[in-house]
């Protein structure tokens, strides 16, 4: 998270005339780190960086909802809700980002420091308190 925050600060400081490839490489690097670091959300395995994965998983969840509508099996609903929530926040971030890009141009990326800071603080706190014993545990996920 610290590396991602440093990259956000760097990208926001670039002049508008900088080649777009600089931002592309930086964002691709950060996305690849996220993909390999965050393999699940709240116990549900998922590729947290890709909206297409969430759309696919929502489709699978809705198909299971239709298939199990009469037998009472609702075990798929938790996963369906988590992917729907991820897609909702992904979309909300895209809309907010688009609005602020029109207002602030490339500096709009700095607004991501707010949620990144919250996540960084939360993860750091968990590492030093509630999840201290889990540091050596291999993460689960895809």
């Amino acid at each position: 998270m610290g590396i991602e925050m440093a990259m956000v600060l760097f990208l926001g400081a670039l002049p508008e005339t900088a080649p777009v490839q600089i931002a592309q490489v930086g964002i691709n690097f950060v996305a690849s780190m996220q993909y390999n670091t965050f393999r699940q959300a709240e116990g549900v395995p998922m590729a947290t960086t890709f909206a297409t994965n969430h759309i696919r998983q929502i489709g699978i969840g809705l198909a299971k909802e239709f298939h199990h509508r009469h037998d009472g099996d609702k075990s798929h609903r938790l996963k369906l809700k988590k992917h729907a929530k991820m897609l909702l926040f992904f979309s909300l971030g895209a809309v907010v980002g688009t609005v602020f890009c029109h207002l602030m141009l490339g500096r709009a990326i700095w607004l991501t420091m707010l949620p990144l800071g919250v996540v960084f603080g939360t993860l750091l706190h968990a590492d030093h308190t509630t999840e201290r014993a889990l540091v050596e545990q291999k993460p689960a996920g895809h």
Side-chain angles (χ1 to χ4, degrees):
M1 293 302 301
I3 293 169
E4 183 172 354
M5 292 171 76
M7 182 63 71
V8 164
L9 289 172
F10 169 75
L11 292 175
L14 289 175
E16 296 299 322
T17 57
V20 70
Q21 290 85 354
I22 295 172
Q24 287 175 334
V25 169
I27 290 169
N28 289 341
F29 174 71
V30 167
S32 68
M33 285 191 344
Q34 281 183 359
Y35 180 74
N36 285 310
T37 303
F38 301 103
R39 296 173 179 241
Q40 62 181 342
E42 298 178 357
V44 176
M46 63 177 67
T48 57
T49 56
F50 304 109
T52 52
N53 174 59
H54 301 304
I55 293 168
R56 177 178 172 263
Q57 293 299 327
I58 290 168
I60 291 169
L62 291 174
K64 287 181 180 180
E65 186 70 26
F66 180 75
H67 181 71
H68 296 292
R69 68 187 179 279
H70 298 298
D71 65 11
D73 181 10
K74 306 299 180 204
S75 61
H76 59 281
R77 283 189 176 172
L78 176 67
K79 189 174 179 181
L80 173 62
K81 287 178 184 177
K82 298 231 185 263
H83 281 287
K85 189 165 83 171
M86 291 293 280
L87 185 61
L88 173 69
F89 281 104
F90 198 96
S91 301
L92 181 63
V95 169
V96 170
T98 300
V99 169
F100 279 99
C101 280
H102 286 290
L103 299 172
M104 302 171 62
L105 301 175
R107 308 278 184 269
I109 196 170
W110 285 341
L111 294 174
T112 64
M113 292 297 284
L114 296 170
L116 289 174
V118 170
V119 170
F120 183 71
T122 302
L123 292 174
L124 191 62
H125 180 265
D127 282 348
H128 290 290
T129 58
T130 58
E131 296 180 1
R132 187 178 192 131
L134 303 175
V135 170
E136 298 299 321
Q137 184 178 339
K138 182 179 177 183
H142 30 238

